[in-house]
Amino acid sequence: MFAQVQPTLSEAWHNHQMLNRLTKMEADHYRKLDAIQDKELLESLLLLAIKSPQTNTPESAFRYLSGRISPFAAPSVGDDKYSTRSFFTLAIKHYNARAIRAFSHTLSGDAKQTQTNRATLRDDNPLFNMYMGLNGDRLFGDENLAANLVAARDISTTLLSLMPELLTEPTYAKAIDTGDGELLRLLWHRHPPSDPVLRLEAMSAIPETAELTWQILKQPSLLEATDRSGRRVLDFIVRFGNPTAIQALINARAIDWQRFTAPQEKTTPLLLATWRLKYEGDNDTWRLVLKDMLVQKTPLTDEQIARVLTDGLTTEDF
């Protein structure tokens, strides 16, 4: 079937044709592919489908191909043959939730190979890597960030239902760095992070406003505590927390802004709120922070005000 594609076609068109036929093939017709003994062709098909999550290749296609090629094998074709990545890790990299759901059968059962596959994921945690990738997407303004977050939630559900041990504290920390409330709500329902600082950050994004406010009122210094990256809790809340959580803390008079605007502070809460305004179009947080700082008559130095007006850029940044 796939051999009918003419070799004179451009590589891009050839790939499009193969993927299009695979996507439209009925599940009970995959046996037509049984005649293909060319391993490189099968690998090419699998790679094309993995790297094109937007084409909606059905799970049944991935399931068929993963029955012919181990998802934990490294590709032997194209540029990927020079990589140590497996088909499984490539599916994680490309946020292909359908592929991961189809591959998940290789993680179920007591077979020796299954245990080997699970050990592989424990050694190189795919969720940790995926959340770290999402942080890069956010940092560099990836236009597919919203779709990638949706897929990441789906992948998280699939893998954690089979391997809950993948939700380690370092993995949780990377998930929190995404600032995605829906993802964190999903993880929280499995279990909250044990680290109290990570717990506060997660609560602000989900949000769990009542518990968050109670914890801060009980111990205001928690806002100055730092997480694994050295970021203060308040900095995370202002930059990534749900506006509802920020409003609740302000209403409870739980934030003394002056504690975070000392003259040596370059990244003030107002600057973080300004970044939300600029990069996410979040007017609410900016207004909440500015209004409460004005109410408290929080002093800012000329340099701090200048950094807000220039989005934090100074001559040192050029």
Side-chain angles (χ1 to χ4, degrees):
M1 179 178 182
F2 291 95
Q4 295 173 1
V5 179
Q6 297 299 317
T8 55
L9 295 174
S10 69
E11 182 179 355
W13 179 247
H14 175 71
N15 291 345
H16 171 76
Q17 288 289 83
M18 288 202 301
L19 190 56
N20 189 49
R21 294 182 183 189
L22 180 65
T23 300
K24 293 182 178 179
M25 187 179 290
E26 296 294 334
D28 60 348
H29 290 166
Y30 290 129
R31 62 179 179 273
K32 293 181 180 180
L33 300 179
D34 290 344
I36 299 178
Q37 299 303 314
D38 185 340
K39 181 184 176 184
E40 290 190 356
L41 177 56
L42 290 173
E43 285 193 11
S44 295
L45 280 172
L46 184 53
L47 282 172
L48 281 171
I50 284 173
K51 294 180 178 181
S52 307
Q54 72 280 1
T55 60
N56 298 330
T57 301
E59 285 181 48
S60 53
F62 285 114
R63 200 171 296 114
Y64 172 84
L65 289 170
S66 65
R68 303 282 304 274
I69 302 166
S70 170
F72 288 89
S76 62
V77 296
D79 293 338
D80 294 293
K81 67 182 178 182
Y82 302 109
S83 169
T84 57
R85 293 192 180 100
S86 66
F87 292 100
F88 194 102
T89 53
L90 284 168
I92 292 290
K93 177 186 176 184
H94 292 278
Y95 306 103
N96 199 316
R98 289 183 181 83
I100 294 299
R101 283 199 299 270
F103 295 165
S104 65
H105 73 90
T106 63
L107 302 172
S108 299
D110 299 320
K112 183 177 180 180
Q113 186 58 55
T114 297
Q115 300 310 310
T116 299
N117 295 342
R118 293 169 69 92
T120 297
L121 297 190
R122 282 192 290 268
D123 290 341
D124 187 17
N125 193 320
L127 294 184
F128 179 94
N129 296 332
M130 180 174 67
Y131 301 151
M132 188 163 61
L134 287 170
N135 295 330
D137 294 344
R138 180 186 293 279
L139 179 63
F140 294 107
D142 192 309
E143 62 182 10
N144 296 316
L145 177 60
N148 292 346
L149 283 168
V150 171
R153 296 172 206 141
D154 194 341
I155 291 170
S156 298
T157 299
T158 297
L159 292 182
L160 289 174
S161 66
L162 294 166
M163 297 184 65
E165 67 270 26
L166 292 178
L167 189 53
T168 62
E169 283 291 288
T171 299
Y172 226 132
K174 288 299 178 186
I176 289 170
D177 283 345
T178 70
D180 183 52
E182 290 188 51
L183 172 62
L184 294 175
R185 191 177 303 115
L186 181 156
L187 302 183
W188 185 276
H189 286 162
R190 291 192 169 274
H191 67 79
S194 58
D195 183 283
V197 171
L198 294 181
R199 236 181 358 255
L200 290 171
E201 291 179 340
M203 282 192 286
S204 75
I206 291 173
E208 292 281 345
T209 55
E211 177 66 15
L212 174 68
T213 303
W214 182 78
Q215 291 283 351
I216 298 302
L217 287 174
K218 183 175 67 171
Q219 190 177 349
S221 62
L222 286 174
L223 288 175
E224 299 175 69
T226 56
D227 60 20
R228 293 164 182 254
S229 67
R231 176 182 53 204
R232 293 177 304 195
V233 169
L234 181 70
D235 292 341
F236 177 90
I237 292 174
V238 173
R239 184 65 184 89
F240 299 111
N242 190 292
T244 303
I246 299 171
Q247 180 72 75
L249 291 172
I250 288 174
N251 290 346
R253 299 181 180 178
I255 305 173
D256 179 0
W257 298 107
Q258 191 165 338
R259 297 175 71 91
F260 303 91
T261 57
Q264 68 271 20
E265 291 284 351
K266 291 186 176 181
T267 308
T268 62
L270 186 58
L271 177 58
L272 294 170
T274 301
W275 286 343
R276 284 184 74 149
L277 173 64
K278 179 178 181 179
Y279 298 112
E280 283 98 48
D282 180 357
N283 293 291
D284 293 340
T285 297
W286 191 82
R287 286 190 296 101
L288 286 171
V289 172
L290 177 61
K291 181 179 178 181
D292 201 48
M293 289 181 75
L294 290 173
V295 168
Q296 294 186 24
K297 298 181 179 179
T298 306
L300 291 174
T301 66
D302 290 344
E303 181 183 355
Q304 289 170 336
I305 294 172
R307 289 181 70 85
V308 169
L309 295 175
T310 59
D311 297 323
L313 297 177
T314 68
T315 54
E316 297 175 357
D317 298 305
F318 294 94

